[in-house]
Amino acid sequence: MKITGAKVIVTCPGRNFVTLKIETDQGLYGIGDATLNGRELSVASYLTDHVIPVLIGRDASRIEDIWQYLYRGAYWRRGPVTMSAIAAVDTALWDIKGKAAGMPVYQLLGGASRDGVLVYGHANGNDIEHTVDEVGRYIELGYKAIRAQSGIPGVKGAYGVAKGTMYYEPADSALPSETVWNTSSYLNFAPKLFDKLREVHGYDVELLHDVHHRLTPIEAGRLGRDLEPYRLFWMEDCTPAENQEAFRLVRQHTTTPLAVGEIFNSIHDCRTLIQEQLIDYIRTTVVHAGGITHLKQIAALAALYQVRTGSHGATDLSPACMGAALNFDLWVPNFGIQEYMRHTEETDAVFPHAYTFDDGYLHPGNEPGIGVDIDEALAAKYPYDPKQLPVARLTDGAMWNW
Ligand code: CS2
Ligand code: MG
């Protein structure tokens, strides 16, 4: 089966998405998500200018060989742009292979290891009371696991709080908006939030929290210890993870489970974290960590150290990524949980998909391939709209981690 053509589709049904579509001489095509929030056009160019020319004429069935060709052949290995481009090719080729076999990708991987994929939704509010109500709303929607984020008194633009009732969309302006961060306000506030959440909603619902890279390791250790009475499912991105060894300090101070990895793009970003069991969940994704082929390797390493998967699934990862991720999640033996931030109706219309939500679980469906398509005509109605992620500064004006 020869690759006869490929195209990059950039569309903005409420937010920007980049999708690679690969066509073959047997009339089958596959799609892959290539969206990198705030840097979409970098990946679009990488694919159009440097990848598609070397794909034409290759055998679409040789997924591993093409992965190795694009990874080793880049010379300048790894990085979010390169690995998102490779991921899009990989996902599209798995999609094609599933369609050729007449099977959903999870069957090609080894079949279902579970009946459904446990997901967590995002509840957020301007203050504790509003956040408690929002968690209650997600419980009524059937979620068994819910991430809770709240506005913090005195902190402008605390992470994770949606404007109005719309879905939380961080990339909110063509040039980065500026937010302010105050660690001591946050460290005093967060335990009060979860104390109230447990008082009102009890301990049956799984609660998660995203620190979003804001703390130093010792501060993260302190927060993890202060949150232990509230039995979080995980505390995410508690400190920047470029220095994987920093998590040794966090681990010494708390038993609160740790999750990291949504911004990782290869197994090397998490090797120490996994091998030293410094984390409990690895958040790497199909779209940013080299596709299904590389995510399988990361999950296999993680399984040796009893680390479970917890893939990122924010609105800036398209339904094409979600479809591929759910096929992976249904199969992967050491599955933990899947993030599920619902897309807008316009997005779902551009990306018709087979996955369904029921009582706190998603299922990829049994369509051949990844179970997601793209309506090119509809996608063309939503032109690219330049947006960037915010930045964060400390109260003294110094740059910090958004
Ligand atoms: C967040 C993301 O969902 C999460 O865990 O960290 O919303 C993240 O802020 C965005 O994906 C950045 O584009
Ligand atoms: Mg996160």
Side-chain angles (χ1 to χ4, degrees):
M1 186 191 307
K2 293 284 182 222
I3 295 172
T4 51
K7 65 174 88 169
V8 175
I9 302 161
V10 180
T11 183
C12 187
R15 68 141 6 260
N16 293 307
F17 294 110
V18 179
T19 306
L20 174 69
K21 183 171 184 176
I22 295 178
E23 291 151 339
T24 68
D25 60 359
Q26 293 186 19
L28 293 176
Y29 67 85
I31 67 169
D33 187 14
T35 307
L36 185 63
N37 200 359
R39 297 294 182 271
E40 291 88 358
L41 298 187
S42 303
V43 185
S45 164
Y46 193 105
L47 286 166
T48 301
D49 299 324
H50 306 296
V51 171
I52 288 175
V54 302
L55 288 181
I56 306 304
R58 287 189 185 275
D59 180 346
S61 68
R62 298 182 65 178
I63 298 175
E64 190 65 51
D65 179 63
I66 290 173
W67 196 98
Q68 296 294 333
Y69 182 95
L70 295 176
Y71 181 80
R72 298 168 188 268
Y75 186 72
W76 313 103
R77 295 183 184 189
R78 300 193 285 160
V81 173
T82 296
M83 298 306 280
S84 297
I86 293 175
V89 175
D90 186 75
T91 305
L93 295 179
W94 276 103
D95 192 21
I96 289 168
K97 195 176 277 288
K99 289 174 177 175
M103 285 189 243
V105 166
Y106 76 82
Q107 292 291 13
L108 302 179
L109 295 171
S113 303
R114 55 195 53 79
D115 299 327
V117 174
L118 175 68
V119 296
Y120 72 90
H122 280 210
N124 63 81
N126 296 318
D127 54 31
I128 289 180
E129 186 185 353
H130 183 203
T131 305
V132 167
D133 290 345
E134 279 298 288
V135 167
R137 187 165 69 86
Y138 271 79
I139 291 170
E140 284 165 15
L141 287 171
Y143 285 82
K144 309 295 183 255
I146 301 162
R147 188 187 89 166
Q149 308 289 142
S150 174
I152 304 166
V155 177
K156 170 180 168 268
Y159 166 72
V161 181
K163 296 181 180 71
T165 55
M166 279 308 294
Y167 304 100
Y168 174 52
E169 181 51 74
D172 55 7
S173 52
L175 294 175
S177 56
E178 301 236 344
T179 65
V180 177
W181 179 250
N182 182 310
T183 293
S184 55
S185 301
Y186 170 69
L187 288 175
N188 292 329
F189 176 81
K192 293 173 187 159
L193 169 65
F194 286 94
D195 184 61
K196 192 66 178 174
L197 283 167
R198 287 303 188 198
E199 177 197 321
V200 173
H201 296 304
Y203 283 76
D204 290 342
V205 63
E206 296 289 4
L207 293 177
L208 302 86
H209 184 62
D210 193 346
V211 182
H212 220 263
H213 323 281
R214 304 295 169 95
L215 302 180
T216 63
I218 197 64
E219 291 166 347
R222 179 176 140 199
L223 177 61
R225 191 191 56 214
D226 290 351
L227 293 178
E228 283 173 11
Y230 311 113
R231 298 284 185 274
L232 263 60
F233 184 90
W234 80 32
M235 179 171 76
E236 175 187 344
D237 281 335
C238 62
T239 192
E242 296 101 314
N243 171 16
Q244 298 179 48
E245 295 164 9
F247 278 72
R248 292 175 184 155
L249 188 56
V250 182
R251 214 50 159 178
Q252 284 166 16
H253 292 279
T254 182
T255 58
T256 292
L258 303 177
V260 183
E262 70 181 46
I263 65 171
F264 293 170
N265 53 77
S266 96
I267 197 165
H268 303 290
D269 292 333
C270 48
R271 193 153 34 90
T272 303
L273 289 166
I274 291 172
Q275 289 176 321
E276 294 188 17
Q277 295 178 290
L278 300 178
I279 58 174
D280 303 282
Y281 297 92
I282 183 65
R283 299 248 308 130
T284 39
T285 65
V286 168
V287 61
H288 297 136
I292 292 169
T293 297
H294 196 54
L295 203 59
K296 281 172 66 193
Q297 290 190 336
I298 293 172
L301 174 66
L304 298 180
Y305 298 91
Q306 302 189 66
V307 173
R308 285 173 281 185
T309 66
S311 287
H312 186 205
T315 48
D316 45 281
L317 286 64
S318 90
C321 178
M322 183 55 77
L326 291 170
N327 274 277
F328 180 88
D329 294 338
L330 200 68
W331 157 76
V332 69
N334 51 319
F335 171 76
I337 199 166
Q338 170 66 52
E339 179 176 3
Y340 177 43
M341 274 180 84
R342 291 174 186 257
H343 290 104
T344 61
E345 277 132 34
E346 302 101 319
T347 297
D348 286 343
V350 170
F351 294 94
H353 53 266
Y355 58 83
T356 52
F357 176 85
D358 179 37
D359 197 29
Y361 290 77
L362 278 174
H363 191 285
N366 286 294
E367 289 294 309
I370 64 170
V372 185
D373 201 349
I374 185 166
D375 180 330
E376 287 190 60
L378 192 53
K381 292 181 177 172
Y382 298 106
Y384 172 68
D385 177 12
K387 288 283 189 294
Q388 293 206 44
L389 286 167
V391 297
R393 291 184 182 274
L394 298 174
T395 47
D396 69 357
M399 273 302 292
W400 196 241
N401 315 309
W402 177 76

